[in-house]
Amino acid sequence: MAAETETQTQTTETRQEEPELDRGPLERWVSDSIDNPERTYRALFYTAMIVMLVTTLFPFYWLLMVALTPEGQIQDIILTPNGFNPGAFIEVFQVLPFHRFMFNSFVIATVATVFVLVIASLAGYVFGRLQFPGKAPLMLLVLIVSFFPPAAFFIPLNDLFNSRIPIIAPLLSNGTLYNTPPALIIPLSALFMPLAIFILTTFYSQIPDGLEDAARVEGTTRLGALFRVIIPLSAPGVATAGVLTFIGVYNEFFFSFLMTDGQPQNWAPILEGLLGYQTQYQTMYNLMAAASILGVLPVAILVVIAQEKIVSGLTAGALKE
Amino acid sequence: MSTDTGTQTDSGAGRQRSILTPATNWIENLSESAYAYLLLTPAFALLTLVAFWPLVATFRLSLLADQTKGAAALGGFVGLENYLNVLTGDIRLARQFFDMELVGGFPFIQLGTPFFQQALFVTLAFALLNVLFTTLIGFGQALILDQDFRGRRWVRVAIIIPWAVPIVIQGMIFFLFFQPTVGFGSGVMQSLGLFSANPLASSQDSFFIVLIADIWKTSAFMALLILAGLQSVDRSLYDVARVSGASPWQRFKMITLPLVLPALLVAMLFRTMEAMRIYGLIESTAGCTTVPSMTCLVIEGLFGGTRIYGTAAAVAFITAAIIGLLISVYIVKFRDNEGGLY
């Protein structure tokens, strides 16, 4: 932008030589813009930015207005709520055990994240640092999985999770995985693991070979070098992969919707809670809005805290190839 | 378990060492390739359980006949009959709930069009329009974020937040927005003559609502990828161009666009594949019978009034095949430049 001010001073000089004309405001504005293009670009830039901010953030503001409007008065809300009822944020927990749904989502997302990080660390290390036959095809296989439609995997998985598995029968009441956390954690881990592998591959491959060699010379085992040298040195990468996996699992719809019966005690995640405010007989719009705001808060906070990691993770994950 | 082998070298854990030493020695003595395969085992075990095996099993299901009578949802082996029926629109069994009447109708689809054609049209049109608009909007957002200004960090947060919103909440927002009694969205659109009075009950209007909702959420993804491309452009190129008197538009066209294009194409392809899987947003706004995407058909086939596993599996497999085709295009196209996928 430094060079722009240069052109700006240049144009102001030429303008002073121009004879004063009797101009209307529009003409004056047009001639100003022609004389001083950089300033016009700047104005355009700010206009575009404000338009963009309004369109991205307005839905949240509007959601808050709906949530604050007392039930029964909810119609044509635009900028202000019809009435004021912050009680909806408490009622949300009374009508449905929304806290239980949130808790379920947190447990599922956290366990899946840890699970993904451990498995993807091993795979990321292999793809990032080792040479072996079949590396490219295997990497490709991982990529392909992450883009196939979940519907193509769903039918057999649904059957599997609904059938009695003898090995786990002593652990679970009826021996099936349906309505248990693994029914969500297993498919969701597989769904988000490829992205984590890509991110970790990028980060692990950037660690200089010398550091790992030194650790090996000092007497660490192979796995010791991985867990004591490579992973700690790539902590930012691991955090990035973790944040993206957590957000991904928390936001997922397909398996989250279909792998439980929607009951909070059966580990139904947050999305079932949100849909629960719409029953056959009654739709509690203000509670839907309030619950949506509560549901967005955790990820919104995560975005504010970890925005750098999210940005670097998305770009590394998608553009690494 | 791998973690245990890693930590066992702690000098204090003498007892543990005696148990784990054979395993450690075994790992130490593996060749590099064997070690690589060993570390990949957990990842591929998970992928086999959740992806490779189900894909094969889905294909097997798709070769079995639909069965509505009796307890079993599956009949005998019929070969590719389900595929033929799906593609030609001749579904006797499915007709009762699959041949859905599109309310309001799409401009290019006539009422009574076989369900698969409807779904294919809806899915492809959605993916195409979605990628077009997310690219344009994402590019705009990326150009804004590429500038230096005060509060850039917060503007970036604002752009990313919709991307991080759970799909069900994204659906909820637009469901409320276009509810005739609650939101003002439908009223505004109706007075502009664009939507009907209850847009969420009309296929055409709902299609655009779903499209808008998805653009709102996913343009951030595009923006971030394009921004990464923009920031890798050598800034001195701009200075050279400025000195030679290039206008900002020329600078954009001659420098920015060509250099960002590879990243942009990859991002567009990824968005296409993702848009082709659309389901959750539809389910939480308009419902699957109003805007039938391909994934919607699979779920309707499994959980709808009549359970038609074979046909549902065939639809699932066709969707997978189309996406597989896209992936192959990607591999062929990008493998040669930039060294491909490793």
Side-chain angles (χ1 to χ4, degrees):
Chain A
M1 288 297 126
E4 276 166 28
T5 35
E6 209 174 291
T7 32
Q8 204 173 317
T9 44
Q10 205 183 330
T11 42
T12 22
E13 273 165 35
T14 42
R15 200 174 48 176
Q16 275 162 0
E17 290 160 22
E18 218 176 283
E20 278 297 320
L21 292 173
D22 190 22
R23 281 167 160 166
L26 182 69
E27 283 172 310
R28 208 160 33 222
W29 180 77
V30 169
S31 84
D32 265 6
S33 334
I34 293 166
D35 289 342
N36 203 347
E38 296 296 344
R39 210 173 69 187
T40 318
Y41 293 133
R42 206 72 196 152
L44 269 175
F45 164 73
Y46 280 112
T47 318
M49 190 178 78
I50 288 162
V51 169
M52 188 192 74
L53 281 180
V54 170
T55 45
T56 44
L57 295 179
F58 178 73
F60 299 112
Y61 170 80
W62 184 79
L63 212 54
L64 183 65
M65 295 304 116
V66 175
L68 290 175
T69 304
E71 210 188 328
Q73 284 166 261
I74 306 173
Q75 59 238 161
D76 301 317
I77 297 155
I78 302 180
L79 290 177
T80 50
N82 300 339
F84 184 70
N85 172 34
F89 286 96
I90 294 158
E91 223 182 307
V92 160
F93 297 100
Q94 292 161 343
V95 175
L96 281 178
F98 195 65
H99 46 282
R100 178 66 210 253
F101 287 108
M102 285 190 91
F103 170 78
N104 292 349
S105 266
F106 268 104
V107 170
I108 289 162
T110 310
V111 175
T113 304
V114 172
F115 194 50
V116 164
L117 284 183
V118 172
I119 296 179
S121 277
L122 299 174
Y125 173 78
V126 171
F127 287 126
R129 302 191 70 84
L130 301 181
Q131 293 303 325
F132 58 99
K135 185 169 164 175
L138 288 178
M139 190 77 179
L140 201 61
L141 219 52
V142 173
L143 173 86
I144 287 171
V145 166
S146 62
F147 280 103
F148 263 47
F153 312 135
F154 176 71
I155 306 172
L157 280 179
N158 188 46
D159 279 354
L160 176 72
F161 290 162
N162 269 302
S163 53
R164 225 177 112 83
I165 305 164
I167 314 160
I168 57 161
L171 299 171
L172 298 164
S173 52
N174 60 356
T176 69
L177 287 177
Y178 186 74
N179 282 338
T180 64
L184 286 164
I185 290 169
I186 294 170
L188 292 181
S189 300
L191 207 63
F192 293 101
M193 187 179 67
L195 178 65
I197 292 180
F198 279 113
I199 294 167
L200 293 175
T201 301
T202 316
F203 277 92
Y204 292 169
S205 65
Q206 284 162 355
I207 306 246
D209 287 340
L211 288 170
E212 195 183 357
D213 294 341
R216 300 278 287 133
V217 169
E218 292 290 319
T220 24
T221 57
R222 276 175 158 171
L223 286 168
L226 168 60
F227 283 96
R228 290 153 167 240
V229 179
I230 306 290
I231 294 179
L233 283 173
S234 334
V238 176
T240 301
V243 168
L244 285 183
T245 308
F246 187 91
I247 292 180
V249 175
Y250 187 85
N251 292 359
E252 204 268 349
F253 189 97
F254 189 89
F255 288 109
S256 313
F257 185 52
L258 298 168
M259 283 299 188
T260 70
D261 62 5
Q263 295 305 309
Q265 67 274 18
N266 288 335
W267 294 93
I270 194 164
L271 89 103
E272 298 280 6
L274 286 162
L275 296 173
Y277 294 104
Q278 188 178 21
T279 63
Q280 212 175 335
Y281 311 102
Q282 196 190 5
T283 308
M284 292 159 269
Y285 295 118
N286 59 337
L287 297 190
M288 284 165 90
S292 297
I293 292 170
L294 292 172
V296 165
L297 276 181
V299 274
I301 293 167
L302 209 54
V303 168
V304 172
I305 297 170
Q307 59 153 324
E308 308 281 342
K309 302 218 175 301
I310 291 167
V311 173
S312 67
L314 280 182
T315 39
L319 298 180
K320 178 69 183 76
E321 304 82 43
Chain B
M1 24 109 200
S2 327
T3 335
D4 294 346
T5 11
T7 45
Q8 65 84 37
T9 37
D10 275 340
S11 47
R15 202 169 59 87
Q16 233 184 348
R17 173 177 293 183
S18 61
I19 302 165
L20 290 164
T21 309
T24 317
N25 285 342
W26 179 71
I27 291 175
E28 288 301 302
N29 293 332
L30 288 173
S31 70
E32 185 165 88
S33 307
Y35 180 56
Y37 297 134
L38 178 74
L39 293 194
L40 284 179
T41 311
F44 278 88
L46 183 63
L47 291 180
T48 306
L49 173 68
V50 180
F52 306 140
W53 162 73
L55 204 60
V56 175
T58 304
F59 182 66
R60 192 188 69 90
L61 278 180
S62 70
L63 302 177
L64 302 177
D66 293 326
Q67 187 94 33
T68 44
K69 289 175 190 139
L74 285 163
F77 181 80
V78 290
L80 295 176
E81 204 183 296
N82 287 330
Y83 288 90
L84 286 175
N85 289 343
V86 164
L87 293 171
T88 57
D90 175 32
I91 307 283
R92 288 165 300 274
L93 204 60
R95 180 139 290 152
Q96 31 189 317
F97 70 98
F98 252 169
D99 205 5
M100 42 194 87
E101 288 279 304
L102 288 178
V103 197
F106 283 95
F108 303 107
I109 290 191
Q110 291 173 341
L111 293 177
T113 305
F115 71 91
F116 184 73
Q117 271 99 311
Q118 290 176 11
L120 189 66
F121 175 81
V122 165
T123 310
L124 291 179
F126 176 82
L128 196 78
L129 291 174
N130 185 285
V131 171
L132 179 73
F133 283 107
T134 47
T135 307
L136 290 175
I137 294 169
F139 218 124
Q141 291 177 332
L143 287 174
I144 288 172
L145 287 180
D146 195 37
Q147 307 291 316
D148 272 321
F149 58 92
R150 212 187 291 175
R152 187 173 115 173
R153 227 183 101 87
W154 291 101
V155 174
R156 192 165 70 171
V157 166
I159 287 187
I160 304 174
I161 281 183
W163 167 83
V165 166
I167 292 171
V168 67
I169 295 177
Q170 172 200 15
M172 206 62 86
I173 293 172
F174 285 85
F175 167 80
L176 291 171
F177 209 75
F178 287 99
Q179 270 295 303
T181 47
V182 185
F184 67 99
S186 53
V188 169
M189 295 304 263
Q190 198 193 349
S191 56
L192 287 172
L194 294 173
F195 280 4
S196 59
N198 187 2
L200 286 169
S202 142
S203 285
Q204 189 185 319
D205 297 350
S206 298
F207 176 83
F208 288 108
I209 290 172
V210 171
L211 185 67
I212 294 166
D214 209 49
I215 291 167
W216 174 74
K217 181 176 159 94
T218 54
S219 53
F221 173 79
M222 274 296 195
L224 293 182
L225 297 198
I226 296 168
L227 182 66
L230 285 177
Q231 294 189 333
S232 65
V233 174
D234 186 356
R235 299 281 148 157
S236 63
L237 287 174
Y238 290 115
D239 295 335
V240 173
R242 228 191 299 259
V243 170
S244 5
S247 72
W249 170 244
Q250 282 172 320
R251 271 179 262 156
F252 176 79
K253 207 176 74 177
M254 314 294 246
I255 302 172
T256 313
L257 203 57
L259 287 173
V260 171
L261 203 62
L264 185 67
L265 289 178
V266 174
M268 283 169 77
L269 198 97
F270 278 24
R271 275 298 315 141
T272 315
M273 292 192 277
E274 221 173 273
M276 301 244 338
R277 305 186 299 189
I278 180 90
Y279 167 72
L281 180 58
I282 292 174
E283 187 69 60
S284 51
T285 47
C288 267
T289 44
T290 319
V291 185
S293 74
M294 305 240 276
T295 303
C296 275
L297 284 192
V298 178
I299 302 306
E300 288 281 302
L302 290 177
F303 298 109
T306 330
R307 301 200 157 194
I308 43 167
Y309 275 45
T311 305
V315 176
F317 208 78
I318 293 171
T319 317
I322 296 175
I323 290 177
L325 206 71
L326 277 171
I327 297 176
S328 343
V329 169
Y330 162 78
I331 293 163
V332 171
K333 203 116 181 91
F334 291 93
R335 191 139 204 199
D336 304 329
N337 353 333
E338 304 169 46
L341 297 150
Y342 297 87

